[in-house]
Amino acid sequence: MKLHTKIVLGLALGAAAGVSANVVAPDAGWVRWLGDNVANPVGQIFLRMLLMTVVPLVFASITLGVAGLGDIRKVGRVGGRTLGYFLFSSALSAILGLTLVNVVRPGAGLGGALRDQLMATYRTQAQGLQAGGAAGFGPDLFVNIVPRNPIAAAANMDMLGLIFFAIVFGAALTLIPEDRARPMLRLLEALGDAIVKVIDIAMKLAPIGVFGLIFVVTSRFGWQILFQLLKYVLVVVGGLAIYAAVGLSILVRVFGGVRPGVFWRKAWTSLVTGFSTSSSNATLPTNIAVAEKEFAIPPKIAGFVLPLGATMNMNGTALYEGVTVLFLAQVFGLGLTLPQQAFVIVLSVITAIGAAGVPGGSLPLIMVVLASVGAPPESIAIILGVDRILDMCRTSLNVTGDLTAACYIARTEAGWDPASASRANGEGVPQAA
Ligand code: ASP
């Protein structure tokens, strides 16, 4: 059986086991014990195996990508095009989300009693988010991208800082004599190769890791809340599904030249990994392997676009933010005017760029957006109970959106032939193991 199939099986079995445990024995001690002592540790080990590769992978692949692009002007052009695509696709998905909330109006019927009950239950969690949350908008947002110390940036998983340093470092390598740069490039190539092997090993754990992660979420999930917030959940999930089936499919066809059927078949492992980890960062290693082996995208492009995308390109999150802010505004009876809604779209796109690619990474930023349209930031408490499930869904889109960007940039900047994706057999990708 292919690893690919085993991962999906792990996901399905884990979800079935978790839901059954939740239904048959809600709040039972043994279910919690199983989660705490078996399922969660197994899932966390898998997650950490992936995460431990992220810093060296991002550094090696971005530096090599930039150095491989050659001169600085080309780096600037490719970077500009990449960023332009990120903004465009995120704006599209945020607009779709906002349109849906306006049509369905999921927040209109949410009565005061339920609202207060949810606020009371999740208030402490929301306060915790706010305490550790974002500082708001201002020049510091840009200043902070430049790290004081690249090692500290790496140690703190400050991805934007690490990426910034890697871009400058890679560009510098093209500016010194070639014979001086070569040893460093060879070292980074070897580092990259070895890290890919580590990812291979980590992915062998994926089927049981994924089982553990999903078991923990589903066995503890408050299904009641899901039904109470059903309309909101359906708008988010429906919006994400429409954006994937229509938006991303059209984008990858028009910009990347890849047939949607081929794209989704090949992107499947990334989608499932994004779904089960809820983290773009943790999915990055898989995403790079999938781009190179399944789509035959040149490593210098995959290594440049995908790490940027994991941090900055979050289509699913942009849609989610737009829907959530408007939903909560509806719950509090704030009718947002059209210009205010346009403002929400802009903020959703910007904050989706700033959100960290970790589970719940966008929540502190949503609070900032809520405040800027006059809704109480702590009202995020209302949706915290269902957030994890929605996080899984939006992260799947975040990571597949990155793949569409890689197809587009490879085609326009590296002469990549989309037909080579159909010919690539995925050999060497974790899933072929
Ligand atoms: N979990 C998301 C990601 O890693 C970020 C978020 O929307 O919370 O892509």
Side-chain angles (χ1 to χ4, degrees):
M1 200 194 295
K2 280 192 167 189
L3 186 59
H4 180 98
T5 321
K6 283 194 222 163
I7 296 177
V8 177
L9 209 65
L11 191 70
L13 290 178
V19 174
S20 318
N22 184 295
V23 171
V24 176
D27 304 322
W30 63 270
V31 174
R32 194 152 264 282
W33 188 91
L34 266 185
D36 286 344
N37 296 295
V38 185
N40 196 36
V42 169
Q44 290 303 324
I45 288 173
F46 164 60
L47 210 60
R48 283 162 175 254
M49 287 281 288
L50 286 177
L51 283 173
M52 77 177 183
T53 66
V54 167
V55 165
L57 183 71
V58 167
F59 181 66
S61 60
I62 293 226
T63 307
L64 286 171
V66 169
L69 289 174
D71 82 79
I72 308 252
R73 274 183 311 248
K74 182 146 190 211
V75 175
R77 201 187 60 221
V78 175
R81 197 184 276 254
T82 308
L83 224 59
Y85 181 84
F86 288 172
L87 290 174
F88 172 68
S89 56
S90 298
L92 269 189
S93 74
I95 291 172
L96 171 68
L98 248 67
T99 312
L100 287 176
V101 208
N102 279 308
V103 174
V104 181
R105 300 191 56 74
L110 201 78
L114 178 56
R115 184 181 84 189
D116 297 344
Q117 178 208 333
L118 287 170
M119 288 282 281
T121 318
Y122 291 97
R123 175 159 285 134
T124 356
Q125 261 189 54
Q127 279 159 353
L129 272 175
Q130 197 163 29
F137 298 103
D140 277 357
L141 220 57
F142 299 98
V143 174
N144 287 339
I145 293 179
V146 184
R148 256 198 213 113
N149 171 352
I151 311 273
N156 296 325
M157 289 244 340
D158 161 16
M159 284 309 167
L160 282 180
L162 182 64
I163 287 173
F164 184 85
F165 179 73
I167 290 177
V168 177
F169 187 70
L173 284 174
T174 66
L175 297 174
I176 60 175
E178 212 192 314
D179 59 320
R180 306 299 295 266
R182 203 171 306 123
M184 180 48 98
L185 293 175
R186 306 232 3 215
L187 179 75
L188 289 175
E189 273 161 15
L191 176 66
D193 288 352
I195 287 295
V196 168
K197 260 283 156 273
V198 177
I199 297 162
D200 253 11
I201 298 169
M203 285 305 280
K204 297 221 193 309
L205 274 181
I208 50 166
V210 162
F211 181 100
L213 288 174
I214 192 109
F215 178 86
V216 175
V217 174
T218 48
S219 67
R220 295 193 185 158
F221 194 68
W223 297 99
Q224 245 187 327
I225 304 180
L226 184 73
F227 292 116
Q228 287 168 338
L229 293 175
L230 195 61
K231 257 183 155 179
Y232 160 74
V233 171
L234 286 181
V235 171
V236 174
V237 176
L240 292 173
I242 296 173
Y243 183 71
V246 182
L248 279 184
S249 296
I250 293 180
L251 287 177
V252 78
R253 174 81 243 204
V254 173
F255 289 94
V258 184
R259 271 190 286 123
V262 174
F263 176 78
W264 289 110
R265 185 159 45 80
K266 298 205 160 240
W268 189 244
T269 306
S270 293
L271 189 139
V272 174
T273 312
F275 185 79
S276 36
T277 60
S278 294
S279 164
S280 296
N281 283 351
T283 312
L284 177 64
T286 315
N287 232 9
I288 293 187
V290 165
E292 291 178 6
K293 305 287 170 28
E294 286 285 3
F295 289 90
I297 288 175
K300 66 173 186 228
I301 298 293
F304 180 71
V305 175
L306 294 173
L308 278 183
T311 320
M312 307 176 82
N313 185 38
M314 298 194 178
N315 292 178
T317 294
L319 184 144
Y320 171 76
E321 289 192 15
V323 171
T324 303
V325 169
L326 227 67
F327 165 73
L328 292 174
Q330 283 171 1
V331 170
F332 284 89
L334 300 168
L336 296 189
T337 59
L338 215 58
Q340 276 178 313
Q341 295 202 16
F343 185 54
V344 170
I345 292 178
V346 173
L347 289 187
S348 300
V349 172
I350 298 177
T351 47
I353 290 179
V358 298
S362 54
L363 296 176
L365 295 163
I366 293 185
M367 297 175 82
V368 177
V369 184
L370 281 170
S372 55
V373 296
E378 48 317 330
S379 64
I380 191 133
I382 293 175
I383 53 106
L384 282 185
V386 287
D387 181 66
R388 187 54 194 257
I389 297 270
L390 300 180
D391 200 359
M392 299 166 92
C393 301
R394 66 183 183 260
T395 308
S396 315
L397 275 210
N398 291 346
V399 300
T400 42
D402 297 344
L403 279 178
T404 67
C407 291
Y408 166 54
I409 301 299
R411 188 185 183 201
T412 49
E413 296 288 347
W416 171 74
D417 173 14
S420 58
S422 312
R423 288 195 295 273
N425 57 5
E427 206 168 318
V429 177
Q431 83 228 49

